[in-house]
Amino acid sequence: MNSVTVSTPSKKYYVHTGAELLSAAGEIAAPLRGTGKALIVSDSNVAPLYAERVQKSLDHAGFTHQLHVIPAGEQSKNIHSLFPLLNAMASFGMTRADTVFALGGGVIGDMGGLAASLYMRGIGLVQLPTSLLAAVDSSVGGKTAIDLDAGKNLVGTFYQPDLVLYDTDTIATLPGEQLANGFGEIVKTGMIRDERLFKASAAEKIDAAAIANLVHRCVEIKRDVVRSDEKETGLRMILNFGHTFGHAVEKCSNFSIPHGFCVAVGMALITAACVKRRICEPEVYSRLVAALRVRGLPAATRYSADDLFASMMADKKRASNTVTLVLPREIGVVERRKVMLDEAREFLEEGLELTKNAQEAVA
Ligand SMILES: NC(=O)c1ccc[n+]([C@@H]2O[C@H](COP(=O)([O-])OP(=O)(O)OC[C@H]3O[C@@H](n4cnc5c(N)ncnc54)[C@H](O)[C@@H]3O)[C@@H](O)[C@H]2O)c1
């Protein structure tokens, strides 16, 4: 088992990565949270596979528990699922001494986290990520959210968990597309902070043990970045590498293309533009595209500059008429640059021009 300690101004917690951790969830959580009431929140794909392991472990540790299952998918990450979840917590008679166990991918982690932060102004939260994306990204860092009709993640809180357990045995049932989805964020983390991680993420052959090591390193990096900027006013923005254009692709696809795939395209676009502007060497781009190809991720899009730019304009992270772009200088080194929207559009157009022939396009 690998462990990372995350200390933020609001909370200190452990992120453990390793085999058979779902079966140890109760035992590990009990000393931190006491053995009160536990509500396991999960989705309709994950609950049949893994809820029983968590239930047995909570029984064994002495928790009283209930299971609340939500239909799988992003379409559940909204107020219509949040209210029944909060009501289930109330009906179960939960108090601040009790704990939500969020068992699933990023959708469950985001919504379970939001419910835990809202109910009685905040109760215990244990994140049990089961998708690779949730393990490397959404379960750590404290962002919680639901979507509105007007856009993704528009309602949320910053709320750190008390514990994160990533059971690497859950990789066995993760669909291939979801594995690639998580790799989008792993490649990104290597690109922004760690060339060795980048190289390891691009290895032709990769097994569960190697993935566990990659997750551990990604969590360490996210921990270091979030520690110095919990609320994303400065350094934390580097985690958005590839996300400005990636979100635009995601929005253009009406969220039918998985997040990690869109981030992959976003990284390729911004890196290509940086080659054109001599911010980085062509080799940075070619290595990125090679890594994406190995992991089954795209490096180009067929959406037009007009459509992508319109989507960018609607992105909530845009402050007034400027946008902060995260630009690669080398593999493992990026800089933040605030640019006017006109210049961001030039970056986008240059990226689109240069990635046209990269590989199979998205959409
Ligand atoms: N809070 C953050 O910092 C943050 C960061 C990145 C993404 N997110 C959010 O995370 C969400 C995406 O997360 P996701 O990609 O995990 O999506 P998801 O939760 O929808 O999971 C993807 C699919 O995989 C299934 N699944 C998960 N684990 C499985 C397993 N082990 N075996 C079989 N099936 C499994 C799920 O049921 C679902 O169908 C988005 O809503 C995004 O906004 C949040």
Side-chain angles (χ1 to χ4, degrees), residues 63-267:
F63 284 87
T64 309
H65 55 84
Q66 279 188 5
L67 174 64
H68 183 87
V69 179
I70 289 163
E74 186 73 29
Q75 65 279 6
S76 285
K77 204 176 113 176
N78 57 33
I79 200 81
H80 308 296
S81 299
L82 180 68
F83 264 132
L85 171 55
L86 291 168
N87 279 324
M89 292 160 81
S91 307
F92 189 25
M94 294 179 90
T95 70
R96 278 197 194 144
D98 299 323
T99 308
V100 168
F101 286 71
L103 172 70
V107 165
I108 290 298
D110 276 13
M111 198 162 58
L114 180 58
S117 75
L118 294 175
Y119 185 77
M120 292 194 165
R121 300 189 182 85
I123 69 169
L125 173 64
V126 173
Q127 291 280 7
L128 303 174
T130 60
S131 72
L132 187 58
L133 187 98
V136 294
D137 197 359
S138 58
S139 63
V140 179
K143 281 189 182 176
T144 79
I146 54 166
D147 306 332
L148 294 181
D149 290 345
K152 265 192 74 169
N153 297 328
L154 287 183
V155 176
T157 53
F158 285 98
Y159 193 69
Q160 302 293 343
D162 296 281
L163 175 68
V164 182
L165 300 177
Y166 177 46
D167 186 332
T168 49
D169 295 341
T170 57
I171 293 170
T173 57
L174 196 64
E177 186 186 64
Q178 292 304 332
L179 198 65
N181 189 26
F183 266 107
E185 290 289 349
I186 294 176
V187 171
K188 177 209 80 178
T189 310
M191 283 291 290
I192 61 174
R193 244 4 195 194
D194 185 345
E195 187 181 12
R196 273 181 61 191
L197 169 67
F198 174 83
K199 264 192 199 155
S201 73
E204 290 279 348
K205 288 214 165 85
I206 212 150
D207 57 16
I211 294 175
N213 288 332
L214 295 177
V215 171
H216 175 66
R217 184 67 191 124
C218 285
V219 170
E220 279 183 332
I221 291 172
K222 188 160 182 187
R223 180 264 319 265
D224 292 343
V225 171
V226 170
R227 179 167 49 195
S228 64
D229 179 21
E230 190 181 6
K231 304 242 163 113
E232 199 175 286
T233 51
L235 182 69
R236 188 169 180 165
M237 289 179 192
I238 69 169
L239 297 173
N240 293 334
F241 174 56
H243 283 58
T244 307
F245 299 154
H247 278 154
V249 173
E250 213 172 352
K251 202 159 192 306
C252 280
S253 79
N254 208 14
F255 300 97
S256 62
I257 304 172
H259 178 74
F261 285 58
C262 297
V263 170
V265 174
M267 290 192 286

